[in-house]
């Protein structure tokens, strides 16, 4: 039988990087790597895991692509220094964020987002 105390301990294990107190979302600064993209006011959600926040961010970047052959995006993220890293460092771990781009014909998806991210 699982008690309520066991559930609380399990949640702490699943979310080791989360603090008990929520961060002030207005104090978060969006890094320059995200400035080319319309994020519609997106800020990391302190109630989500880091990976969930990154997925939300990449989905918004994906919608910024104007290529006809699909909307793709890629984010290269530096791993946390330790498993208890603060949420405030979430955006500081971004290495590169890109989407697919045209080279030969306007709005063609010639360069994949992953290649653009590596080359940035």
């Amino acid at each position: 039988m699982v008690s309520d105390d066991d559930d609380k301990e399990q949640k702490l294990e699943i979310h080791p990087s989360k603090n008990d107190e929520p961060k002030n979302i207005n104090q978060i600064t969006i890094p320059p790597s995200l400035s080319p993209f319309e994020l519609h006011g997106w800020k990391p959600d302190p109630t989500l895991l880091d990976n969930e926040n990154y997925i939300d961010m990449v989905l918004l970047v994906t919608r910024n692509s104007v290529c006809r052959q699909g909307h793709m995006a890629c984010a290269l993220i530096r791993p946390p220094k330790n498993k208890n890293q603060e949420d405030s460092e979430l955006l500081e771990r971004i290495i590169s964020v890109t989407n697919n781009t045209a080279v030969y014909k306007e709005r063609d998806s010639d360069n994949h987002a992953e290649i653009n991210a590596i080359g940035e």
Side-chain angles (χ1 to χ4, degrees):
M1 180 172 194
V2 177
S3 71
D4 288 343
D5 291 336
D6 292 338
D7 288 340
K8 289 177 186 175
E9 288 177 14
Q10 187 176 13
K11 286 181 182 176
L12 291 174
E13 290 174 16
I14 294 171
H15 305 286
S17 66
K18 302 299 170 208
N19 292 332
D20 292 330
E21 297 179 23
K23 299 245 182 258
N24 183 348
I25 205 73
N26 295 324
Q27 295 176 345
I28 295 174
T29 303
I30 299 296
S33 59
L34 291 173
S35 62
F37 306 106
E38 174 57 58
L39 299 177
H40 304 282
W42 176 84
K43 301 265 184 173
D45 182 342
T47 65
L48 297 176
L49 294 171
D50 290 355
N51 287 343
E52 294 169 324
N53 274 303
Y54 290 132
I55 291 290
D56 285 350
M57 176 194 73
V58 168
L59 288 172
L60 288 167
V61 172
T62 298
R63 299 310 303 157
N64 282 258
S65 174
V66 294
C67 294
R68 288 180 287 212
Q69 291 133 342
H71 303 280
M72 290 71 142
C74 178
L76 297 179
I77 309 296
R78 189 174 294 107
K81 294 174 187 164
N82 62 58
K83 67 179 183 176
N84 295 320
Q85 189 170 19
E86 296 283 329
D87 293 332
S88 62
E89 298 176 19
L90 179 108
L91 295 176
E92 295 170 15
R93 297 191 345 240
I94 296 172
I95 298 170
S96 176
V97 178
T98 60
N99 58 12
N100 51 334
T101 56
V103 174
Y104 302 108
K105 291 183 180 178
E106 185 178 340
R107 298 184 58 170
D108 276 359
S109 185
D110 299 317
N111 279 356
H112 287 222
E114 300 85 355
I115 298 300
N116 287 336
I118 292 169
E120 195 171 86

